[in-house]
């Protein structure tokens, strides 16, 4: 008898009594039919800021510092899922109450450096390392990559983004997503879409012609989604042509799903309650961070017959389909101890692969081994490894340039080390709760007295000057003292170059910046210029290995450095002078009728970045898209188009090993690829897929 009962139970297990069904990969429809209306509404609304603020409140959550969670429904075996930032490394609290352990995460280079590698394989390895840290710390979905088109050099979040070109941006994003998701952790490609400024970001209306929207601002997301199938998409704060993206059915359902075939989940960016039923109807499945009032609003709206329950069911199903993929649902036990040492090596290698050599006159670089180096600039002793905001990372350490140089066997001048060390200690910003969570700028540049330069020049073989720039979420950059050098920076470069050149000694400028700055007016003064971007926690070591010649620079620009800011047509439609409320404050609209604040006309159309120089007469850029020098030389054969790929052979014709980037433009970017490290005389034939030929 017992046996018969067991068999019957097994056969009809799925017909278990109501309320006993537990979620599996196979029974989502059964669970959906079991759910009450309140449970459905609960599942599409996040659990609030509890985990993000746990470092301050001490709340007992699974991953303190994670940006958000979904809500569990234990009756149905539905766990809460953890969502955490960010693109340059997992952002969670590095310490927890009631634990002596630490939870540091590797600080990888910023997005703009990753795209400067032009190396999908390298970026995929970075993604895998970040994905592993997410997995081992209990994060189910990483809120990355940030991939908006760099429409204008002064967007505060360009550091997180990849390029002015949709193909490069989309392919790099896809590589990152494939890397992270290879670890069984989800991603969220963001911020969908046309979120290209921080000023008034919660309300700003991006007014974009549909052809331009599709050809530029959606194109990179389309490429990334078709090449990598991200688990989720994050709908941005802003409006497009008058409609908030988070409730734009054309964007989230007609284009994203019906045209592109996206089969994952759409979540909001971290928005307060808006029109929740409209968001659900448009195909936005998950409200983050979430608040109870959204649950009640949905229940009311369905009961009043305003929101069809079927529309809610569609979103609930997509939340369930996400949950059954997650590590927590599949019973994974995080080790809480990822291999940070091996990940640091990946971060260093990626930084070395993306650093761009902009100038190298009379072979100033690489430096002679064992040189005595006069190191100027606050940034030489206080590297900025990454930007601020949700893209911040609690790193175990940061290698500054002075440390990296010493590690490479160079001798530094104690006079300068002491001088800058004391200045930084005195002038670095005090740590606050906010800067603890979101990072901060460092000490401002020091006024360097020429007498100091003159007093040390005789002791050194050469000089290095670091110029630093910080930027971050919630505010855009400005022209004066940001895009343009400050007077004290111009004086420092001029003085050091005059004094050291008078002694026949060379000068290198290192740019530790999150975005494009003005270079044309001063780039002829030094002998060499190295663009280090914000190279992550291993940055000082990576830059030093480039300067020493241990590594041959192979980065190429993913974005144009214009000769002048106003050469770019978008400069007429960007809030570079706006000094109103930071949009980090969220909340109300800064003014619908204020140009470039309430709304921004994308009047430049397709003329973004290098496309402007292709499509219009304009002064040549200071450094063009795709530009970068090497310590060796290469010969690149004639590319041969064969169906939907291009074959091309590259030979190292120089004296040192190096990597070459092949970039095929016609006139827009058609495809690209990077060789492995080629020894002198060695060749490699690349087969470059014509992913998505630019129209
Ligand atoms: C922020 C950012 C987004 C981030 C989210 C969670 O406002 O716009 O990139 O993932 O909120 O921190």
């Amino acid at each position: 008898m017992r046996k018969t009962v067991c068999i019957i139970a097994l056969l009809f297990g799925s017909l278990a009594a109501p309320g006993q069904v537990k979620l599996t990969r196979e029974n989502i429809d059964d669970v959906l039919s079991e759910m009450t209306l309140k449970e459905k509404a609960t599942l599409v609304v996040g659990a609030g800021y509890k985990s993000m603020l746990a470092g301050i409140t001490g709340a007992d959550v699974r991953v303190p510092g994670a940006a958000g969670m979904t809500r569990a429904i234990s009756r149905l075996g539905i766990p809460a899922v953890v969502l955490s930032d960010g693109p340059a490394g997992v952002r969670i609290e590095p310490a927890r109450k009631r634990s002596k352990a630490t939870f540091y995460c590797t600080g990888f280079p910023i997005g703009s450096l990753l795209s400067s590698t032009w190396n999908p394989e390298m970026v995929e390895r970075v993604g895998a390392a970040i994905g592993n840290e997410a997995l081992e710390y209990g994060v189910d979905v990483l809120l990355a990559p940030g991939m908006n088109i760099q429409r204008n050099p002064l967007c505060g979040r360009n550091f997180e983004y990849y390029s002015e070109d949709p193909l490069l941006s989309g392919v790099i994003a896809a590589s990152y997503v494939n890397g992270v998701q290879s670890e069984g952790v989800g991603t969220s490609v963001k911020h969908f879409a046309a979120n290209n400024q921080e000023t008034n970001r919660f309300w700003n209306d991006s007014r974009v012609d549909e052809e331009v929207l599709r050809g530029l601002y959606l194109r990179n997301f389309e490429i990334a989604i078709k090449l990598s199938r991200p688990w989720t998409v994050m709908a941005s704060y802003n409006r497009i042509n008058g409609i908030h993206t988070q409730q734009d059915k054309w964007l989230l359902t007609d284009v994203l799903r019906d045209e592109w075939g996206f089969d994952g989940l759409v979540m909001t960016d971290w928005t307060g309650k808006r029109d929740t039923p409209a968001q659900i109807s448009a195909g936005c499945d998950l409200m983050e961070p979430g608040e109870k009032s959204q649950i009640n609003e949905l229940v009311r709206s369905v009961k009043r017959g305003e929101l069809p329950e079927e529309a809610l069911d569609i979103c609930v199903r997509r939340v369930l389909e996400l949950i059954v993929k997650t590590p927590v649902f599949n019973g994974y036990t995080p080790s809480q101890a990822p291999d940070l040492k091996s990940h640091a090596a990946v971060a260093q290698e990626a930084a070395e692969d993306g650093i761009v050599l902009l100038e190298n006159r009379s072979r100033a670089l690489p430096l002679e081994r064992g040189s005595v180096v006069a190191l100027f600039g606050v940034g030489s002793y206080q590297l900025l490894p990454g930007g601020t905001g949700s893209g911040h990372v609690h790193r175990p350490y940061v290698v500054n340039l002075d440390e990296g140089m010493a590690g490479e066997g160079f001798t530094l001048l104690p006079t300068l080390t002491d001088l800058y060390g004391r200045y930084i200690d005195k002038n670095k910003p005090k740590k606050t709760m906010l800067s603890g969570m979101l990072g901060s700028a460092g000490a401002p540049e020091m006024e360097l007295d020429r007498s100091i330069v003159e007093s040390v020049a005789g002791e050194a073989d050469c000089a290095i000057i670091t110029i630093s720039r910080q930027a971050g979420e919630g505010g855009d950059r400005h022209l004066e003292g940001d895009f343009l050098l400050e007077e004290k920076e111009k004086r420092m470069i001029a003085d050091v170059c005059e004094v050291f050149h008078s002694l026949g000694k060379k000068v290198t400028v290192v740019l530790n910046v999150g975005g494009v700055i003005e270079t044309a007016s001063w780039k002829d003064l030094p002998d060499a210029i190295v663009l280090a971007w914000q190279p992550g926690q291993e940055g000082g070591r990576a830059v030093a290995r480039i300067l020493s010649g241990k590594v041959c620079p192979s980065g190429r620009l993913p974005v144009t450095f214009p000769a002048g800011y106003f050469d770019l047509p978008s400069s007429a439609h960007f809030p570079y002078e706006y000094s109103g409320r930071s949009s980090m404050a969220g909340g109300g609209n800064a003014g619908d009728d204020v140009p470039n604040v309430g709304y921004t006309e994308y009047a430049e159309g397709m003329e973004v970045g290098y496309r402007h120089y292709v499509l219009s007469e304009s002064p040549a850029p200071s450094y063009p898209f795709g530009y970068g020098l090497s310590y060796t030389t290469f010969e690149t054969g004639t590319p041969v188009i064969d169906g939907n790929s291009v074959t091309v052979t590259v030979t190292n014709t120089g004296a040192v090993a190096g990597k070459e980037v092949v970039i095929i433009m016609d006139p827009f970017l058609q495809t690209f690829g990077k060789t492995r490290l080629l020894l002198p005389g060695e060749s490699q034939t690349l087969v470059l897929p014509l992913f998505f030929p630019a129209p």
Side-chain angles (χ1 to χ4, degrees):
M1 177 60 179
R2 265 175 58 79
K3 201 167 175 187
T4 312
V5 169
C6 286
I7 289 167
I8 289 169
L10 273 175
L11 283 175
F12 297 99
S14 61
L15 299 184
Q20 287 178 352
V21 68
K22 297 293 182 191
L23 180 64
T24 70
R25 274 179 176 270
E26 292 74 34
N27 71 352
I28 285 175
D29 286 339
D30 296 341
V31 168
L32 188 52
S33 60
E34 272 291 308
M35 292 173 80
T36 65
L37 174 58
K38 180 75 181 286
E39 287 172 332
K40 291 177 182 177
T42 298
L43 200 59
V44 299
V45 174
Y49 282 104
K50 197 174 171 196
S51 53
M52 186 189 282
L53 301 177
I56 301 159
T57 63
D60 182 15
V61 292
R62 193 185 319 147
V63 184
M69 297 179 77
T70 61
R71 294 170 188 255
I73 302 178
S74 49
R75 173 176 88 83
L76 298 167
I78 299 172
V81 157
V82 174
L83 318 167
S84 181
D85 293 308
V90 180
R91 181 172 72 97
I92 59 173
E93 288 300 325
R96 295 178 185 173
K97 292 182 172 34
R98 301 179 288 281
S99 167
K100 288 195 171 42
T102 55
F103 303 84
Y104 290 110
C105 297
T106 304
F108 289 88
I110 57 171
S112 293
L113 185 148
L114 294 184
S115 50
S116 298
T117 68
W118 291 71
N119 189 347
E121 181 273 334
M122 182 75 246
V123 175
E124 187 160 339
R125 287 172 52 212
V126 169
I130 298 177
N132 179 261
E133 292 188 16
L135 178 72
E136 297 306 345
Y137 280 135
V139 171
D140 298 295
V141 178
L142 183 75
L143 302 174
M147 58 177 292
N148 291 93
I149 289 292
Q150 295 170 337
R151 169 180 175 254
N152 182 284
L154 300 186
C155 171
R157 292 187 84 167
N158 275 351
F159 74 93
E160 286 184 279
Y161 303 156
Y162 295 127
S163 179
E164 65 194 28
D165 178 85
L167 177 61
L168 178 60
S169 169
V171 170
I172 295 296
S175 306
Y176 182 102
V177 167
N178 286 328
V180 172
Q181 295 187 168
S182 70
E183 290 290 320
V185 163
T187 56
S188 194
V189 293
K190 68 187 186 180
H191 308 86
F192 191 63
N195 183 185
N196 307 101
Q197 69 184 58
E198 289 301 287
T199 300
N200 196 31
R201 62 177 174 156
F202 295 90
W203 293 93
N204 178 262
D205 183 15
S206 302
R207 294 180 181 172
V208 205
D209 169 87
E210 182 175 338
E211 189 188 345
V212 174
L213 188 60
R214 286 178 174 276
L216 268 182
Y217 300 100
L218 302 185
R219 183 76 170 153
N220 59 331
F221 283 95
E222 177 186 5
I223 292 168
I225 285 164
K226 289 180 176 175
L227 290 178
S228 68
R229 296 189 67 195
W231 287 12
T232 81
V233 166
M234 184 187 289
S236 57
Y237 289 125
N238 59 289
R239 291 175 287 169
I240 296 179
N241 299 329
I243 302 173
H244 268 115
T245 63
Q246 296 168 358
Q247 57 193 69
D248 184 341
K249 180 181 173 302
W250 173 81
L251 184 71
L252 302 184
T253 297
D254 302 350
V255 173
L256 179 63
R257 292 190 165 103
D258 297 348
E259 283 185 34
W260 298 352
F262 175 64
D263 59 359
L265 170 138
V266 174
M267 69 174 84
T268 63
D269 197 344
W270 264 234
T271 319
K273 184 171 85 68
R274 288 179 163 171
D275 181 341
T276 319
Q279 289 169 317
I280 291 288
S281 301
C284 190
D285 310 301
L286 177 62
M287 311 304 142
E288 283 293 340
E291 51 189 85
K292 282 205 170 50
S293 62
Q294 292 171 308
I295 298 173
N296 302 333
E297 184 186 20
L298 284 174
V299 170
R300 265 198 317 276
S301 179
V302 171
K303 283 185 173 167
R304 286 180 188 153
E306 295 155 0
L307 173 68
E309 189 158 356
E310 296 69 34
L312 179 58
D313 288 351
I314 291 170
C315 297
V316 172
R317 178 177 285 107
R318 290 198 279 248
V319 176
L320 293 171
E321 287 166 349
L322 171 70
I323 290 171
V324 298
K325 292 194 279 192
T326 60
V328 66
F329 179 78
N330 289 289
Y332 185 80
T333 306
S335 67
Q336 303 300 344
D339 183 354
L340 298 184
K341 193 165 172 1
S342 72
H343 295 167
V346 175
Q348 180 183 324
E349 189 181 344
E352 291 166 354
D353 209 46
I355 287 172
V356 185
L357 180 59
L358 296 176
E359 298 288 352
N360 191 20
R361 279 182 282 273
S362 53
R363 293 197 56 73
L365 297 178
L367 302 176
E368 292 295 324
R369 196 158 299 290
S371 299
V372 178
V373 178
L375 212 42
F376 298 101
V378 165
S380 297
Y381 305 88
Q382 170 198 257
L383 183 89
L384 299 177
T388 60
S390 57
H392 178 57
V393 182
H394 298 286
R395 312 165 186 93
Y397 57 83
V398 174
V399 180
N400 291 319
L401 182 55
D402 61 332
E403 297 158 319
M405 297 298 283
E408 275 300 300
F410 294 108
T411 303
L412 306 180
L413 300 181
T415 312
L416 293 178
T417 305
D418 296 347
L419 173 70
Y420 279 101
R422 273 184 279 109
Y423 171 84
I424 291 167
D425 285 347
K426 202 158 150 257
N427 292 277
K428 65 187 175 193
K430 301 272 175 290
K431 192 169 177 182
T432 63
M433 178 193 75
L434 213 52
S435 66
M437 280 178 63
L438 302 173
S440 68
E445 188 53 70
M446 183 182 81
E447 292 279 358
L448 180 65
D449 193 301
R450 185 184 175 106
S451 62
I452 291 172
V453 182
E454 288 161 343
S455 69
V456 302
E459 302 165 44
D461 300 314
C462 62
I464 291 176
I465 306 167
T466 299
I467 298 290
S468 311
R469 281 293 177 279
Q470 187 52 291
E473 177 179 345
D476 289 313
R477 296 174 57 201
H478 295 282
L479 211 51
E480 298 301 330
D482 187 352
F483 180 80
L484 303 171
L485 292 190
E486 296 179 280
E487 284 312 311
K488 57 186 168 182
E489 292 173 322
K490 291 179 191 170
R491 252 194 325 278
M492 171 167 63
I493 293 173
D495 287 347
V496 171
C497 290
E498 279 167 29
V499 172
F500 275 75
H501 286 164
S502 70
L503 299 172
K505 299 176 179 180
K506 297 196 172 71
V507 179
T508 295
V509 171
V510 173
L511 300 178
N512 176 203
V513 297
V516 175
I517 65 167
E518 192 275 331
T519 50
S521 65
W522 57 270
K523 68 181 186 180
D524 294 333
L525 293 177
D527 304 284
I529 301 176
V530 172
L531 172 61
W533 292 115
Q534 291 173 329
Q537 69 182 47
E538 302 295 332
R541 219 189 307 275
V543 174
R545 281 163 52 85
I546 292 277
L547 295 176
S548 73
K550 278 268 182 63
V551 174
C552 177
S554 63
R556 299 287 182 274
L557 290 182
V559 64
T560 302
F561 275 61
Y565 175 69
F566 297 103
D567 294 351
L568 299 175
S570 67
S571 59
H573 304 278
F574 193 86
Y576 64 87
E577 286 173 317
Y578 183 70
S579 54
R581 179 186 49 216
S582 146
S583 60
M584 273 309 261
N589 190 355
D592 255 340
D593 56 346
V594 180
N596 306 328
V597 179
Y599 66 91
T600 298
E601 293 288 356
Y602 285 42
E604 73 280 355
M606 295 298 285
E607 295 199 30
V608 170
Y610 74 87
R611 281 175 165 78
H612 165 59
Y613 299 92
V614 169
L615 296 171
S616 296
E617 283 300 308
S618 179
S622 184
Y623 297 110
F625 176 79
Y627 176 86
L629 302 176
S630 174
Y631 292 153
T632 186
T633 55
F634 296 95
E635 189 177 285
T636 301
T638 307
V640 176
I641 296 182
D642 168 19
N644 55 7
S645 66
V646 177
T647 303
V648 60
T649 299
V650 180
T651 303
N652 182 343
T653 53
V656 298
K659 298 180 184 178
E660 176 61 315
V661 176
V662 174
I663 298 173
I664 300 197
M665 312 280 283
D666 179 25
F668 308 128
L669 182 63
Q670 301 299 324
T671 187
F672 64 89
K674 189 166 197 173
T675 69
R676 63 177 184 275
L677 187 68
L678 297 178
L679 299 175
E682 197 177 3
S683 298
Q684 182 181 357
T685 297
L686 297 175
V687 179
L688 309 177
L690 283 169
F691 292 105
F692 299 83

